[in-house]
mmCIF file with all atom_site columns, all heavy atoms in Angstrom:
data_model
loop_
_atom_site.group_PDB
_atom_site.id
_atom_site.type_symbol
_atom_site.label_atom_id
_atom_site.label_alt_id
_atom_site.label_comp_id
_atom_site.label_asym_id
_atom_site.label_entity_id
_atom_site.label_seq_id
_atom_site.pdbx_PDB_ins_code
_atom_site.Cartn_x
_atom_site.Cartn_y
_atom_site.Cartn_z
_atom_site.occupancy
_atom_site.B_iso_or_equiv
_atom_site.pdbx_formal_charge
_atom_site.auth_seq_id
_atom_site.auth_comp_id
_atom_site.auth_asym_id
_atom_site.auth_atom_id
_atom_site.pdbx_PDB_model_num
ATOM 1  N N   . TYR B 1 28 ? 86.184 86.589 91.920 1.00 0.00 ? 312 TYR B N   1
ATOM 2  C CA  . TYR B 1 28 ? 85.212 85.554 92.325 1.00 0.00 ? 312 TYR B CA  1
ATOM 3  C C   . TYR B 1 28 ? 83.800 86.005 91.958 1.00 0.00 ? 312 TYR B C   1
ATOM 4  O O   . TYR B 1 28 ? 82.974 85.240 91.464 1.00 0.00 ? 312 TYR B O   1
ATOM 5  C CB  . TYR B 1 28 ? 85.332 85.345 93.834 1.00 0.00 ? 312 TYR B CB  1
ATOM 6  C CG  . TYR B 1 28 ? 84.417 84.263 94.369 1.00 0.00 ? 312 TYR B CG  1
ATOM 7  C CD1 . TYR B 1 28 ? 84.585 82.938 93.982 1.00 0.00 ? 312 TYR B CD1 1
ATOM 8  C CD2 . TYR B 1 28 ? 83.380 84.587 95.247 1.00 0.00 ? 312 TYR B CD2 1
ATOM 9  C CE1 . TYR B 1 28 ? 83.733 81.953 94.460 1.00 0.00 ? 312 TYR B CE1 1
ATOM 10 C CE2 . TYR B 1 28 ? 82.534 83.609 95.732 1.00 0.00 ? 312 TYR B CE2 1
ATOM 11 C CZ  . TYR B 1 28 ? 82.712 82.295 95.327 1.00 0.00 ? 312 TYR B CZ  1
ATOM 12 O OH  . TYR B 1 28 ? 81.868 81.332 95.809 1.00 0.00 ? 312 TYR B OH  1
ATOM 13 N N   . TRP B 1 29 ? 83.543 87.310 92.101 1.00 0.00 ? 313 TRP B N   1
ATOM 14 C CA  . TRP B 1 29 ? 82.216 87.867 91.800 1.00 0.00 ? 313 TRP B CA  1
ATOM 15 C C   . TRP B 1 29 ? 81.912 87.685 90.323 1.00 0.00 ? 313 TRP B C   1
ATOM 16 O O   . TRP B 1 29 ? 80.846 87.204 89.935 1.00 0.00 ? 313 TRP B O   1
ATOM 17 C CB  . TRP B 1 29 ? 82.222 89.345 92.177 1.00 0.00 ? 313 TRP B CB  1
ATOM 18 C CG  . TRP B 1 29 ? 80.907 90.026 91.976 1.00 0.00 ? 313 TRP B CG  1
ATOM 19 C CD1 . TRP B 1 29 ? 79.718 89.670 92.502 1.00 0.00 ? 313 TRP B CD1 1
ATOM 20 C CD2 . TRP B 1 29 ? 80.656 91.178 91.146 1.00 0.00 ? 313 TRP B CD2 1
ATOM 21 N NE1 . TRP B 1 29 ? 78.724 90.529 92.088 1.00 0.00 ? 313 TRP B NE1 1
ATOM 22 C CE2 . TRP B 1 29 ? 79.268 91.462 91.256 1.00 0.00 ? 313 TRP B CE2 1
ATOM 23 C CE3 . TRP B 1 29 ? 81.461 92.000 90.350 1.00 0.00 ? 313 TRP B CE3 1
ATOM 24 C CZ2 . TRP B 1 29 ? 78.689 92.540 90.580 1.00 0.00 ? 313 TRP B CZ2 1
ATOM 25 C CZ3 . TRP B 1 29 ? 80.862 93.054 89.685 1.00 0.00 ? 313 TRP B CZ3 1
ATOM 26 C CH2 . TRP B 1 29 ? 79.483 93.312 89.795 1.00 0.00 ? 313 TRP B CH2 1
ATOM 27 N N   . PHE B 1 30 ? 82.919 87.991 89.470 1.00 0.00 ? 314 PHE B N   1
ATOM 28 C CA  . PHE B 1 30 ? 82.660 87.855 88.029 1.00 0.00 ? 314 PHE B CA  1
ATOM 29 C C   . PHE B 1 30 ? 82.370 86.394 87.696 1.00 0.00 ? 314 PHE B C   1
ATOM 30 O O   . PHE B 1 30 ? 81.483 86.059 86.926 1.00 0.00 ? 314 PHE B O   1
ATOM 31 C CB  . PHE B 1 30 ? 83.870 88.357 87.228 1.00 0.00 ? 314 PHE B CB  1
ATOM 32 C CG  . PHE B 1 30 ? 83.986 89.857 87.222 1.00 0.00 ? 314 PHE B CG  1
ATOM 33 C CD1 . PHE B 1 30 ? 85.127 90.495 87.693 1.00 0.00 ? 314 PHE B CD1 1
ATOM 34 C CD2 . PHE B 1 30 ? 82.921 90.641 86.775 1.00 0.00 ? 314 PHE B CD2 1
ATOM 35 C CE1 . PHE B 1 30 ? 85.210 91.881 87.704 1.00 0.00 ? 314 PHE B CE1 1
ATOM 36 C CE2 . PHE B 1 30 ? 83.003 92.031 86.780 1.00 0.00 ? 314 PHE B CE2 1
ATOM 37 C CZ  . PHE B 1 30 ? 84.153 92.645 87.265 1.00 0.00 ? 314 PHE B CZ  1
ATOM 38 N N   . ALA B 1 31 ? 83.117 85.533 88.360 1.00 0.00 ? 315 ALA B N   1
ATOM 39 C CA  . ALA B 1 31 ? 82.901 84.093 88.076 1.00 0.00 ? 315 ALA B CA  1
ATOM 40 C C   . ALA B 1 31 ? 81.458 83.729 88.418 1.00 0.00 ? 315 ALA B C   1
ATOM 41 O O   . ALA B 1 31 ? 80.745 83.096 87.651 1.00 0.00 ? 315 ALA B O   1
ATOM 42 C CB  . ALA B 1 31 ? 83.872 83.283 88.922 1.00 0.00 ? 315 ALA B CB  1
ATOM 43 N N   . VAL B 1 32 ? 81.002 84.224 89.572 1.00 0.00 ? 316 VAL B N   1
ATOM 44 C CA  . VAL B 1 32 ? 79.629 83.872 89.986 1.00 0.00 ? 316 VAL B CA  1
ATOM 45 C C   . VAL B 1 32 ? 78.631 84.506 89.036 1.00 0.00 ? 316 VAL B C   1
ATOM 46 O O   . VAL B 1 32 ? 77.662 83.890 88.605 1.00 0.00 ? 316 VAL B O   1
ATOM 47 C CB  . VAL B 1 32 ? 79.387 84.348 91.443 1.00 0.00 ? 316 VAL B CB  1
ATOM 48 C CG1 . VAL B 1 32 ? 77.905 84.294 91.762 1.00 0.00 ? 316 VAL B CG1 1
ATOM 49 C CG2 . VAL B 1 32 ? 80.216 83.532 92.411 1.00 0.00 ? 316 VAL B CG2 1
#
Side-chain angles (χ1 to χ4, degrees):
Chain B
Y312 182 65
W313 182 56
F314 286 122
V316 167

